[in-house]
Amino acid sequence: MTHRLTLSTALLLCVPPMLWAGNAVVGRMVVPLVPPMALNFLRWACAFVLLLPFAWRLLRRGSPIWPGMHRYAVLGLLGIGSYNALQYMAVRTSTPINVTLVASSMPFFMLGLGALFFHQRITGRQLVAAALSIAGVLVVLCRGEVKQLAHLHFVPGDLYMLLATASWSLYSWLLTRPGDPPEVRSDWAGFLVAQLVPGVAWSGLFAAAETAVTTQQIQWGWPLAAALAYVAIGPAILAYRCWGLGVQRVGPNIAGFFSNLTPLFAALLSATFLGEPPHLFHALAFVLIVAGIVVSSRR
């Protein structure tokens, strides 16, 4: 990790929150079509099939991924089996505004986990950056009116998102740990497939358990197929690729602040596809969040 934020790395880290904003919208739209665990399993099964032509050699006997499969099993559980499944569960029982608020705690999870388990020192600059970033998200949530915060109500779905945020934060820190064979780490498709092998198994296990406690059936059709195509290619493959590269370059602490761009991208997507124009408070929130990113990245 260089811990130096360049323009190219900043642009790279802007891609995942943009795709995640779309993922939240799509996840909400398909609530009547598919249960959350099943959606997560189908998403990653499709991503695995799409990546297989680029990394099938790593699945052969004697491949360097098998000795380190215990590590990939943990990464697969946190980043593939758990994170998005919990997010899809959250959008079924909580409002998007509350889910966004809970997810904005990611910088604090990044800093806390880094200090507790990865020997990272928390600086005053990082705390200021986290406060600026959270302030920007709160501006979006209250639509520029502080009194709106008093009307927020939390439901069980908010707990799911809190667990999802903690899972993603730990996943991001584990990405920085050394020990991966060079031929795996240097091949982005192979590195993701190494995580997908146990990750798809985890998500399949969770989906199977879900069938025992829910009566909802999958509504197959073109709307679900289009949704699966988006979540498998965009938020899954492209977002994970960009996030992994960004974390390797600047570390989880700085990368974590970029996740708070998600509500801003959600506002832009709403303006584009739902006819909801942006407002002045969106610009203020953008300034605050970018300020947090700048402060966190300075030495």
Side-chain angles (χ1 to χ4, degrees):
M1 295 184 296
T2 64
H3 292 281
R4 182 175 180 270
L5 184 63
T6 63
L7 177 60
S8 61
T9 303
L11 293 174
L12 187 72
L13 285 170
C14 285
V15 174
M18 179 180 64
L19 294 173
W20 292 335
N23 184 54
V25 173
V26 171
R28 184 69 175 175
M29 291 173 59
V30 299
V31 164
L33 303 180
V34 59
M37 297 294 181
L39 175 59
N40 191 53
F41 170 70
L42 292 171
R43 161 189 174 156
W44 287 113
C46 291
F48 180 78
V49 171
L50 291 172
L51 286 173
L52 200 56
F54 303 99
W56 63 270
R57 292 180 179 83
L58 287 176
L59 299 181
R60 295 181 299 182
R61 181 180 300 178
S63 168
I65 71 169
W66 301 117
M69 187 50 64
H70 61 284
R71 164 173 161 78
Y72 302 126
V74 175
L75 290 174
L77 173 63
L78 295 172
I80 295 173
S82 299
Y83 173 67
N84 281 280
L86 290 167
Q87 185 184 51
Y88 291 143
M89 291 175 66
V91 296
R92 295 175 73 92
T93 58
S94 181
T95 63
I97 193 169
N98 279 9
V99 167
T100 305
L101 174 60
V102 173
S104 70
S105 63
M106 184 175 293
F108 290 101
F109 274 103
M110 291 289 192
L111 294 175
L113 290 173
L116 287 174
F117 302 111
F118 299 93
H119 310 293
Q120 296 293 311
R121 184 172 62 90
I122 299 178
T123 65
R125 187 189 301 276
Q126 289 173 326
L127 291 177
V128 171
L132 287 170
S133 188
I134 296 300
V137 174
L138 290 177
V139 168
V140 174
L141 295 179
C142 70
R143 300 181 64 82
E145 299 181 11
V146 177
K147 62 182 181 181
Q148 294 294 331
L149 294 177
H151 300 291
L152 293 176
H153 301 285
F154 293 92
V155 296
D158 301 323
L159 176 60
Y160 293 138
M161 198 60 210
L162 190 65
L163 293 173
T165 304
S167 176
W168 184 260
S169 300
L170 182 56
Y171 168 83
S172 297
W173 271 112
L174 291 176
L175 284 179
T176 69
R177 307 302 292 173
D180 296 301
E183 55 266 50
V184 176
R185 195 68 175 198
S186 61
D187 181 358
W188 72 270
F191 186 55
L192 185 52
V193 165
Q195 301 171 57
L196 279 173
V197 171
V200 170
W202 284 117
S203 58
L205 180 63
F206 296 152
E210 181 182 56
T211 60
V213 296
T214 183
T215 58
Q216 182 181 3
Q217 301 295 317
I218 299 177
Q219 304 298 316
W220 297 104
W222 287 113
L224 180 57
L228 287 175
Y230 172 77
V231 298
I233 298 173
I237 296 176
L238 295 180
Y240 273 63
R241 166 59 171 163
C242 294
W243 184 261
L245 278 176
V247 168
Q248 289 180 36
R249 293 181 184 180
V250 298
N253 281 341
I254 296 176
F257 289 96
F258 281 83
S259 65
N260 282 351
L261 290 171
T262 303
L264 291 179
F265 282 120
L268 293 175
L269 289 175
S270 297
T272 302
F273 297 104
L274 302 178
E276 299 176 355
H279 300 280
L280 182 61
F281 66 83
H282 288 131
L284 175 59
F286 179 78
V287 171
L288 288 170
I289 292 176
V290 171
I293 294 172
V294 172
V295 171
S296 70
S297 64
R298 294 185 62 187
R299 292 186 181 275

